[in-house]
Amino acid sequence: MKMSTPYKIFKKLFRLKSIKQVYENDISTKATRGIDKIGVKTFNKNKIEHLKVVYKKCNNGRLKFSPYVEKLQSKGRNKKPRVISVATIRDRTVLFLLKELLHEIFPDCVHRKLPNNYIKEIKDFYEKNGSKHVCYLKTDIKSFYDNIDHDILLKILRKKIRSKLILALLKRAIKTPTVPNNYKRSERHAYKRKFGVPQGLSISNILANIYLEGIDGKLGRFGLKYFRYVDDMLHFLGDEKPDEIENTIKDELERIKLKINESKTECSLTDHSFDYLGYKLSLPKVSIKDSNVDRFLTSVAAKFSTYNHNSASQRKKYTWLTKRIQMKVFVDDLNEKLTGALSDSRRYGWLFYFLEINDMELLHKLDAIIEQFFTRLQNFGKCAPTKLKKISKAYYKAKYDPYGGYIHNYEIYDSLKKKISYLSNRGYLNPKGHYKQTDIELIFNRVKRKRLIDLDLDVGLIS
């Protein structure tokens, strides 16, 4: 059967019907705003007109992206924040379609394995080879996304994409500047992008994998086992000389104008503890990197501080709120943070990321620390409530019974009545207010999205 050309795939994806479908299913449920400050509610007032413009301009090659607005994401103390680029609703729709296009053209560059899968493979490898003389060589790429060379990337894309229309759209997507919220249009030239792929866009990960397409085949020939997750590389070595393999990695990266991060390069025997993808590996023991444990506990402690300091002011602002409602919401939100959540067949949260650990002692220790946090809260009698969930129990539920009810599942809110009940119980609806069905749907999606983003942030800070 004759394969579709990139242009035919483009024409199929960028039909008006497909554009509308992507907007409804993947864009309209997210409340993120770009440089134009337009939210979903405002966009929907002229939705059809907006999407017709997307269709017309993408197909005639005249679409230009609005500047992405920067969002700074903390990477921890003494580290530069990660710059996340946020596109407008219109542009997010286009970028999502471009991502789908690239997935079809470069299927081998779509890395569907999660970090958990890599850790499981490492555990399996060690189980078979732990008795041998095995050492590890670990490194990553210095400022990977920021240093991707546009000319090299476009040259790689041209190997499979001949359409000038598609290439021009992709080129504009990566060259569009990321600017601060308060920037002046007259200063736009100062933010022009000469190299680097903006992080946080739909196309960011697939473009990064396409850029490294030729690396894995060469580096995978060295050592006993080779792993790469985005820019984190790990070799397990037997009799091979680590210096020679490190030099090979350097040579391969320099060919595409990248460098290894010397400060994060290390080599030792596998009976020494080392960190990879946020995990702490003291094989066969698998735990969580110390800094990630500390960061998680800090984010949990922040919820207690917020509750302590903001409860009274919230009740003044929203007069229908009561202490009972606030206490229930606090415990529900805390439980969700501890156990993670489920939505649309996806798993969210810190615990789901770390399901390959076998260090149960750590989880019990975390449970005890979180119980101690309640000594700060007068409203709870300075002791943990009976409805507080345990991370140690959630770990087993997440592995063996995720849909059993212990972990919050947003899919149960499958009717308007259930959504109203959820929002009312949390104090999001004024009992004296009048709400249309569209209002309820919008509020529910906004609340759910905020909750899931909070859980994703815990995972996003893992490094």
Side-chain angles (χ1 to χ4, degrees), residues 1 20 79 138 170 249 285 332 334 336 365 403 428:
M1 188 174 73
K20 288 177 180 176
K79 292 183 179 179
K138 182 173 76 93
L170 288 167
I249 295 171
K285 182 179 178 181
D332 286 349
L334 179 60
E336 193 169 278
K365 180 181 175 183
Y403 289 92
Y428 284 107

Side-chain angles (χ1 to χ4, degrees), residues 14-130:
F14 282 83
R15 292 177 300 172
L16 185 57
K17 181 180 177 182
S18 301
I19 293 170
K20 288 177 180 176
Q21 190 174 14
V22 162
Y23 173 75
E24 294 295 346
N25 295 343
D26 301 287
I27 308 299
S28 67
T29 57
K30 300 172 184 176
T32 314
R33 299 180 185 217
I35 195 74
D36 59 4
K37 310 289 187 188
I38 293 176
V40 171
K41 193 171 183 179
T42 303
F43 189 90
N44 281 344
K45 290 176 182 176
N46 296 295
K47 175 177 64 178
I48 300 302
E49 289 75 10
H50 287 310
L51 298 180
K52 282 182 178 178
V53 170
V54 168
Y55 165 74
K56 183 179 178 180
K57 289 194 172 185
C58 285
N59 281 277
N60 66 20
R62 293 180 181 176
L63 185 129
K64 293 182 180 178
F65 295 90
S66 300
Y68 309 129
V69 64
E70 71 176 18
K71 181 180 177 184
L72 301 180
Q73 187 182 80
S74 171
K75 293 172 67 177
R77 187 177 296 175
N78 300 323
K79 292 183 179 179
K80 284 186 177 180
R82 182 180 286 115
V83 178
I84 302 298
S85 299
V86 180
T88 63
I89 290 175
R90 183 203 71 167
D91 290 349
R92 288 211 312 276
T93 306
V94 177
L95 291 165
F96 190 95
L97 287 160
L98 285 175
K99 179 204 72 174
E100 295 296 301
L101 174 71
L102 290 170
H103 279 199
E104 289 202 40
I105 299 171
F106 296 90
D108 294 340
C109 297
V110 182
H111 289 188
R112 302 191 186 280
K113 286 198 301 184
L114 297 171
N116 284 350
N117 301 124
Y118 290 85
I119 300 301
K120 186 178 186 306
E121 287 182 23
I122 290 170
K123 287 162 66 178
D124 292 343
F125 167 81
Y126 186 80
E127 191 176 323
K128 295 175 184 175
N129 298 275

Side-chain angles (χ1 to χ4, degrees), residues 152-390:
I152 294 175
L153 176 59
L154 289 167
K155 185 178 179 181
I156 296 170
L157 293 172
R158 285 191 198 101
K159 290 178 182 178
K160 291 191 176 182
I161 302 172
R162 301 296 184 195
S163 166
K164 291 182 180 179
L165 179 68
I166 299 173
L167 289 169
L169 202 53
L170 288 167
K171 185 175 180 179
R172 288 185 200 131
I174 63 175
K175 287 190 174 293
T176 294
T178 299
V179 301
N181 251 316
N182 57 351
Y183 99 112
K184 298 176 182 177
R185 288 183 64 87
S186 59
E187 298 172 349
R188 180 171 174 167
H189 67 281
Y191 299 98
K192 279 189 176 179
R193 189 182 294 278
K194 296 180 180 178
F195 48 84
V197 167
Q199 294 188 60
L201 305 180
S202 297
I203 59 170
S204 302
N205 289 343
I206 182 64
L207 286 176
N209 284 329
I210 289 169
Y211 196 74
L212 293 178
E213 183 183 18
I215 292 285
D216 293 332
K218 294 178 181 178
L219 296 184
R221 295 198 292 264
F222 298 97
L224 301 173
K225 193 74 175 175
Y226 165 71
F227 298 92
R228 179 181 68 81
Y229 181 76
V230 191
D231 59 337
D232 289 304
M233 299 176 176
L234 177 66
H235 270 95
F236 285 104
L237 312 175
D239 299 326
E240 298 84 3
K241 293 181 180 179
D243 288 348
E244 291 181 3
I245 293 179
E246 185 179 335
N247 287 333
T248 301
I249 295 171
K250 286 180 180 178
D251 290 343
E252 288 299 317
L253 291 178
E254 282 177 9
R255 188 174 54 80
I256 52 175
K257 298 186 179 180
L258 295 174
K259 296 180 180 180
I260 67 168
N261 192 335
E262 299 282 0
S263 65
K264 290 188 177 180
T265 300
E266 57 183 78
C267 182
S268 187
L269 291 171
T270 51
D271 56 2
H272 286 71
S273 174
F274 65 98
D275 301 327
Y276 190 60
L277 304 183
Y279 281 77
K280 182 178 182 179
L281 304 174
S282 306
L283 297 167
K285 182 179 178 181
V286 178
S287 190
I288 301 171
K289 186 178 174 181
D290 294 343
S291 61
N292 288 327
V293 174
D294 293 341
R295 200 176 290 146
F296 179 70
L297 285 173
T298 298
S299 68
V300 172
K303 292 188 76 66
F304 282 79
S305 296
T306 300
Y307 174 82
N308 244 344
H309 297 124
N310 293 355
S311 294
S313 60
Q314 271 195 330
R315 289 196 301 275
K316 284 182 180 178
K317 185 175 181 180
Y318 306 104
T319 54
W320 61 89
L321 279 181
T322 63
K323 281 186 180 181
R324 184 190 63 78
I325 291 175
Q326 288 180 317
M327 290 171 68
K328 181 186 184 306
V329 170
F330 174 74
V331 174
D332 286 349
D333 285 356
L334 179 60
N335 282 338
E336 193 169 278
K337 191 172 189 70
L338 303 182
T339 68
L342 305 162
S343 181
D344 301 320
S345 301
R346 277 197 61 191
R347 303 176 177 197
Y348 295 82
W350 192 80
L351 184 64
F352 280 115
Y353 185 95
F354 288 113
L355 276 188
E356 287 303 322
I357 70 168
N358 53 30
D359 183 6
M360 293 309 299
E361 184 182 348
L362 171 65
L363 299 187
H364 289 296
K365 180 181 175 183
L366 290 175
D367 284 333
I369 291 171
I370 291 163
E371 282 193 20
Q372 281 294 310
F373 284 165
F374 275 91
T375 60
R376 308 176 185 182
L377 301 185
Q378 192 70 45
N379 287 350
F380 288 87
K382 296 191 175 184
C383 65
T386 56
K387 291 188 177 180
L388 177 67
K389 294 183 178 179
K390 293 185 178 295

